[in-house]
Amino acid sequence: MKITAGYWLMETDKIFKMEIPGRMESIPRILCFLSEAMEYFGMDEDGVFDVNVAVDEACANIINYSCALTQSCAFDYSCGSREIEVTASRRGGLFFITVANRGEYFDPTRPVAPDISSDIDERKVGGLGVYLIQQLMDELRYEYKDGIGTLTMGKRLPESTPV
Amino acid sequence: MRAVGKYGPKDTPEGMRMEICERKEKGSVVIAITGKLDSFAVPELEKVVEENVSKGEKFLVFNLSGLTHISSAGLRSFLVPAKKLKTLGGSVTFVALTENISRILKTAGLYNSIFKVYDSEKDAIEANA
């Protein structure tokens, strides 16, 4: 699978990139890969935490929905080896992560309204993942082209980080 | 505390994995989770929680002082037993949350509303006794 990061990332000084099978066990490895990238770009501790949460959710959604929604996947054992491509880079004062995969359209930038106020008896259990991505990231953008979905997430770097 | 297990791919560094320990005191089961509760690790926590609930434990106290990452699936793994235990007269409570974990719980509308948060295990255990 060849996925190219969006044009707006091309001014960056360095792009970290990994391709990894679209399986849940890849998520700890993706977070590990990102920690190196965030250290390189000087992300602060809170930012590292937020990016990890958002990327975990974005990848889990792709694995659970984007691939699972492809009907043929149910009969296709290669489904689990479908790759997710993750890139990390910087443009200006923002740290950017792209998460891309070949699969069904799944747009985590669309507004969601999860239940965050009902009491315990009424509280719905789902819908928090996309909400967390939207709350924790400073920029979000989703593109779907030729069967490939690319989610770009931007997180502000600390002001002291040299550009 | 009894070590229940360490979870996560073996090729990731120790700090990137999740570790669970537990002990019982005065009717509460204290479960300490350290490391990363990412989407991959969540089913392991769910197993530990289910085992305790099926043994008839009603009060689960989670010490999250060493938790460095959480996912929405991780939040669900606390919410599902909390709902069940409430119907049985029990509860799920949290102890020693870091600022970042507190922030996520607040964002999700779970902090001190669905889950009561205590400063120490002792306070949580006494509240359950």
Side-chain angles (χ1 to χ4, degrees):
Chain A
M1 177 176 63
K2 189 69 203 147
I3 301 169
T4 47
Y7 67 91
W8 62 93
L9 296 177
M10 292 306 162
E11 291 174 24
T12 193
D13 55 349
K14 182 176 167 104
I15 296 182
F16 288 75
K17 183 173 162 182
M18 97 183 297
E19 285 182 27
I20 193 159
R23 302 188 195 112
M24 280 297 180
E25 69 200 65
S26 296
I27 288 179
R29 296 190 175 100
I30 293 168
L31 300 186
C32 207
F33 155 82
L34 276 180
S35 68
E36 191 190 325
M38 286 193 278
E39 194 178 331
Y40 177 85
F41 291 118
M43 181 60 83
D44 60 321
E45 205 179 311
D46 291 354
V48 167
F49 183 90
D50 291 355
V51 168
N52 277 332
V53 173
V55 171
D56 184 337
E57 299 302 336
C59 294
N61 279 330
I62 285 174
I63 295 160
N64 284 333
Y65 304 115
S66 176
C67 184
L69 286 170
T70 306
Q71 208 176 5
S72 62
C73 280
F75 309 101
D76 177 6
Y77 289 100
S78 67
C79 167
S81 63
R82 282 190 177 214
E83 300 251 293
I84 296 177
E85 184 196 273
V86 183
T87 71
S89 57
R90 174 178 66 183
R91 190 179 182 215
L94 284 172
F95 174 71
F96 281 103
I97 313 102
T98 66
V99 181
N101 75 306
R102 185 179 292 282
E104 291 295 298
Y105 178 92
F106 184 85
D107 181 1
T109 67
R110 291 164 77 170
V112 288
D115 179 1
I116 54 167
S117 56
S118 303
D119 67 17
I120 188 164
D121 299 318
E122 304 295 323
R123 184 67 68 100
K124 306 275 190 309
V125 173
L128 282 173
V130 168
Y131 182 71
L132 287 179
I133 295 174
Q134 295 177 0
Q135 294 296 311
L136 299 177
M137 292 292 104
D138 296 312
E139 274 194 24
L140 279 180
R141 175 170 176 166
Y142 181 76
E143 282 181 329
Y144 189 78
K145 203 178 164 197
D146 302 329
I148 294 172
T150 305
L151 175 66
T152 304
M153 298 179 274
K155 184 73 180 173
R156 220 165 280 126
L157 286 157
E159 278 174 18
S160 57
T161 308
V163 176
Chain B
M1 277 233 169
R2 183 179 75 88
V4 180
K6 273 188 190 174
Y7 311 93
K10 300 235 175 331
D11 58 350
T12 50
E14 196 85 346
M16 303 296 285
R17 286 147 74 180
M18 178 181 74
E19 190 173 351
I20 298 177
C21 295
E22 66 175 29
R23 73 185 163 91
K24 194 165 176 186
E25 189 178 332
K26 293 182 190 167
S28 293
V29 177
V30 180
I31 301 171
I33 311 169
T34 51
K36 293 189 181 291
L37 180 52
D38 56 47
S39 298
F40 176 65
V42 165
E44 303 301 335
L45 173 63
E46 286 173 343
K47 272 185 225 160
V48 173
V49 169
E50 273 164 28
E51 262 172 42
N52 277 293
V53 173
S54 64
K55 274 192 290 187
E57 301 295 349
K58 286 186 189 165
F59 295 98
L60 303 184
V61 175
F62 288 95
N63 186 327
L64 303 183
S65 58
L67 192 65
T68 55
H69 172 80
I70 195 160
S71 55
S72 64
L75 295 175
R76 281 197 296 279
S77 68
F78 298 118
L79 188 53
V80 170
K83 280 171 165 282
K84 182 169 183 184
L85 290 176
K86 195 202 167 207
T87 64
L88 301 169
S91 67
V92 169
T93 49
F94 290 144
V95 159
L97 298 179
T98 63
E99 263 180 45
N100 279 327
I101 299 291
S102 299
R103 192 158 52 84
I104 296 296
L105 286 173
K106 284 172 188 167
T107 304
L110 298 167
Y111 187 94
N112 265 342
S113 52
I114 302 288
F115 303 118
K116 225 166 171 309
V117 179
Y118 294 93
D119 290 334
S120 72
E121 288 182 8
K122 188 170 167 275
D123 291 348
I125 291 165
E126 276 172 12
N128 291 337

